Amino acid sequence: MTTKYISASIPTLKRLPRYLQVLKALNQEENMYISATKIADELKVDSIQVRKDLQSTGIIGKPKLGFELKELIQSIESFLNWDNLTDAFLIGVGSLGQALLGYENFKKSGLNIIAGFDIDEKLVGKTIRGINIYNINKVEDLIKRMKINVAVIALPANNVNMIVEKIVEAGITAIWNFAPVHINTNEDVIIENVNLTQSLAVLTHKINERKNKDGGTK
Amino acid sequence: MTTKYISASIPTLKRLPRYLQVLKALNQEENMYISATKIADELKVDSIQVRKDLQSTGIIGKPKLGFELKELIQSIESFLNWDNLTDAFLIGVGSLGQALLGYENFKKSGLNIIAGFDIDEKLVGKTIRGINIYNINKVEDLIKRMKINVAVIALPANNVNMIVEKIVEAGITAIWNFAPVHINTNEDVIIENVNLTQSLAVLTHKINERKNKDGGTK
DNA sequence: TAGATTGTTAATCGATTAACAATC
DNA sequence: TAGATTGTTAATCGATTAACAATC
């Protein structure tokens, strides 16, 4: 059996969780159908886009009815790999790392943080929100022994690249990076950089834009 | 005098901070020039794109030489409004909010968090990283009295929309939202949603994609 | 049946990439 | 001077939007 592989653009991937959120808020009764139009109305976005996005998950709908609710949820989750839990290590358990441990939603999104690592002796040995914190010097050994492939990095800027090199060497193949440093490694490693400064740039420029518009007429 | 207004796409805005990072790492000597090619090499991106992005800030370069370093930094910062500090309130001072207070970089990006607000009586009255924490019930009054326009929201999902309504009513016109809820208000309010689930969707899908590729040949 | 919604194909739009004359 | 780099205009690419036949 061959499964047709469907790809999706980054913008589409980023919209899918919003649809999922709407869908999960509904009563998931058997044989309930929901249309792209309904989802679009709810989110105040364009219905054609919703339809296209849903199609990229591979689901097939029924004209007039829409998409079977449970099947649709399953289709999106499966497309995003959210129906499998992937174990991950958290590297850096400062305030940001601890905040990330607080997001219980990650588990719903397929990511299971099973241990934390830090250099700070005051943290090592502690348990935060049920997660044990180990000394950072144990991370390579544990990556190998537990065959961990995913790391969440919440370190300060310095030393990030050195640690990345080490953990990639030890077996990490995907990194979710919260450090204020853009990580670039070879192409075999999947990197998702969460750069707050980039987000702030969009916000501050928009503020500036509005200011110029308002002030420009005086 | 009329200033030609230049717009920029969101992708361009998100790339500008990376250029700034590279530029600031250089010695800022007088009359030093740097080319788009050099920046591109450093970041391993395309030089044409760098040139286009820099142009959207309004700077004019010199053929053969490139861009005058100090002028270029100033041009990007001014375009992003990072050369003016904008005062902001932090709403929600849990672990995420406290992590955000730790990012001293925000000041370099034009955002000056001057007070925090929370419902938790254990936090109210405290000073965290030099920022006073007030009771959330004081936020509307202080927004009005101090003429604050920007809010950073780091609340849990519940109640977010109720609080947004209140602070917008009180005078907030721009929101940087870290709550796991997509905020939609009327068009006069600038909203920048930082949705970690969206970022995670990109990561987990890429992992899935790779898995399917590897496993597909067996 | 008629209306709503899908799936598919085409058109539009905007961002990225390419090409090249001007020039320090 | 020759080579490198800019500014500008054109070409390409990909995502969004539109159109419409098929159909429950």
Side-chain angles (χ1 to χ4, degrees), chain A:
Chain A
M1 188 192 123
T2 54
T3 319
K4 189 182 157 196
Y5 183 70
I6 307 148
S7 195
S9 67
I10 304 283
T12 293
L13 289 174
K14 290 191 173 172
R15 286 190 295 263
L16 288 174
R18 298 197 63 201
Y19 306 151
L20 210 45
Q21 197 178 14
V22 169
L23 297 173
K24 288 196 161 178
L26 298 169
N27 295 329
Q28 294 176 41
E29 286 163 31
E30 218 59 56
N31 264 342
M32 186 185 163
Y33 281 77
I34 184 160
S35 69
T37 318
K38 284 262 173 60
I39 299 173
D41 287 353
E42 185 78 23
L43 295 171
K44 286 167 193 153
V45 296
D46 183 42
S47 72
I48 298 172
Q49 187 167 68
V50 175
R51 189 145 41 100
K52 266 279 161 85
D53 286 342
L54 297 183
Q55 274 170 10
S56 50
T57 71
I59 196 169
I60 292 174
K62 292 219 177 103
K64 160 107 177 156
L65 288 174
F67 303 87
E68 205 276 319
L69 181 57
K70 285 194 169 188
E71 192 190 345
L72 181 53
I73 290 174
Q74 170 57 31
S75 179
I76 297 174
E77 287 184 334
S78 155
F79 187 65
L80 295 174
N81 202 23
W82 286 10
D83 51 354
N84 291 310
L85 270 186
T86 302
D87 288 339
F89 280 172
L90 172 65
I91 301 178
V93 198
S95 53
L96 178 60
Q98 291 184 31
L100 294 176
L101 287 180
Y103 272 88
E104 308 196 348
N105 277 344
F106 292 166
K107 242 181 209 164
K108 290 180 197 150
S109 310
L111 194 76
N112 191 25
I113 296 176
I114 58 168
F117 295 85
D118 207 289
I119 200 172
D120 184 354
E121 282 297 340
K122 273 173 284 182
L123 289 166
V124 172
K126 271 197 176 173
T127 300
I128 299 177
R129 297 190 194 249
I131 307 295
N132 292 330
I133 315 301
Y134 301 95
N135 192 302
I136 185 72
N137 64 26
K138 299 219 173 93
V139 74
E140 292 173 77
D141 185 42
L142 281 167
I143 287 168
K144 285 177 197 160
R145 275 169 47 197
M146 301 181 72
K147 296 195 195 305
I148 301 296
N149 300 312
V150 180
V152 181
I153 295 188
L155 294 165
N158 45 322
N159 297 331
V160 168
N161 276 309
M162 200 195 65
I163 288 182
V164 166
E165 238 172 77
K166 278 188 189 174
I167 61 176
V168 167
E169 178 69 25
I172 291 295
T173 58
I175 294 174
W176 198 17
N177 177 39
F178 288 82
V181 172
H182 201 93
I183 294 179
N184 263 324
T185 61
N186 67 65
E187 282 162 35
D188 289 349
V189 180
I190 296 167
I191 311 277
E192 175 69 12
N193 287 293
V194 177
N195 190 330
L196 296 188
T197 311
Q198 290 183 349
S199 169
L200 191 50
V202 178
L203 182 75
T204 55
H205 175 73
K206 282 183 184 167
I207 292 175
N208 198 25
E209 199 171 30
R210 183 173 58 188
K211 203 168 63 180
N212 287 341
K213 261 181 212 158
D214 294 353
T217 51
K218 282 185 199 168

